Amino acid sequence: MEKRTFLKTGLFLGIAAAGSSILKACQNAAKPEKAVENADEKAALPPPEKRRSGPFTLPELGYGFDALEPHIDKMTMEIHHDKHHNGYVTKLNAAIEGTEYADYELNDILARVSADDKQKNIRNNAGGHWNHSQFWLSMTPGGANAPSGDLASSINQSFESFDKFKEQFSAASKGVFGSGWGWLCVGSDKKLFITSTPNQDNPLMSNIAKATGTPILGLDVWEHAYYLHYQNKRADYVDAFFNVINWDVVAERFKAAM
Ligand code: MN
C-alpha cells in the first residue's frame, strides 16, 4: 500500500506533459503524502491514472439469463456470461501477472496495449473483459425503444435521424468480417461516430483501433453471441438487439463522455 502511495506521488511529477484526462484525474487525487525518494523506481513504470488492487472479477449480469427472451435466449446468455466472459477475466489475470500492467485499471491497460505479438494475450483478454462488461449493462428487458434528451439530439445531429443511426450502426455490426464488435462512440471532438473492431479490440485501444473514442454502446457480433438461436442469421440478431438496448445507460455514458 505504501509503495502504491509512493508511486501515485511520482505521478504528479511524471505527467506534466500528459493529456487533459490524466490531469483531470490527478486534480481529484489525494495530496501526495510522501516525497519521491527513488527516481529510478518511478521511471521504471509508465504513469497510470490510478492503481488497482486485487484481481479482475466477473461482474454480475444484473438480470436473469432469460430476461432478454425472446430477443436473446437464456442458454446463450448463460454460456456467454458464465463461460466466455469468465474466460476472458481468468485469462486476463493470468496474462498481466508479473507484467507492467499487473495493477493497472482496465481502461489504462486498453489505452496502453499495443499490436505487438507479445501483448496479444493481454490485448484480447483485456478487450474481452471490458467489451462484455459494457455489453451486459447496455441491455435491459423492456427498456425504451429509442434514446431521448441530449443523446437523441446528438444522434440526430450526427446521423440525421434515429432511423439513419440505426441503419448505420446495424450495417457496421452486420458487416464485421468474422468476429468483432459494432460501436457507437464519442470522439475527441465530442461528436458521435460509428465504427467496428475485429476480435476483442475496442475504440479505447488508442495504439490499435482504426478509430479511437469513448464507446457508449457496443454490440457483440461474435457467433457465440447469437449462433444457438439465430444460427447464421447475424442480421436478425442485430435487428433484435434494438429491442433490448438500455438507452438510459447509453445516455449516462454519453453525458460522462461530454
Ligand atoms: Mn462475446
Side-chain angles (χ1 to χ4, degrees), residues 71 140-148 155 162-163 165-166 239-248:
H71 309 293
T140 188
N145 287 324
S148 57
I155 284 177
F162 178 71
D163 285 344
F165 152 72
K166 192 172 165 182
D239 294 342
F241 176 64
F242 276 86
N243 294 307
V244 295
I245 295 174
N246 191 338
W247 285 110
D248 292 337

Side-chain angles (χ1 to χ4, degrees), residues 80 84-85 88 128 132 135-136 181 200 220-222 224-225:
H80 201 175
H84 289 281
H85 189 176
Y88 296 122
H132 288 85
F135 187 53
W136 312 131
W181 292 76
Q200 295 297 355
D220 189 346
V221 292
W222 282 58
H224 69 224

Side-chain angles (χ1 to χ4, degrees), residues 55-67:
F56 288 108
T57 55
L58 181 68
E60 293 286 325
L61 198 54
Y63 42 81
F65 292 124
D66 61 352

Side-chain angles (χ1 to χ4, degrees), residues 184-197:
L184 172 65
C185 302
V186 177
S188 53
D189 58 1
K190 304 294 177 191
K191 288 190 177 142
L192 292 171
F193 69 93
I194 288 166
T195 188
S196 64
T197 54

Side-chain angles (χ1 to χ4, degrees), residues 122-138:
I122 296 173
R123 166 187 180 177
N124 288 340
N125 292 297
H129 181 32
W130 195 98
N131 295 347
H132 288 85
S133 298
Q134 70 77 33
F135 187 53
W136 312 131
L137 294 169
S138 297

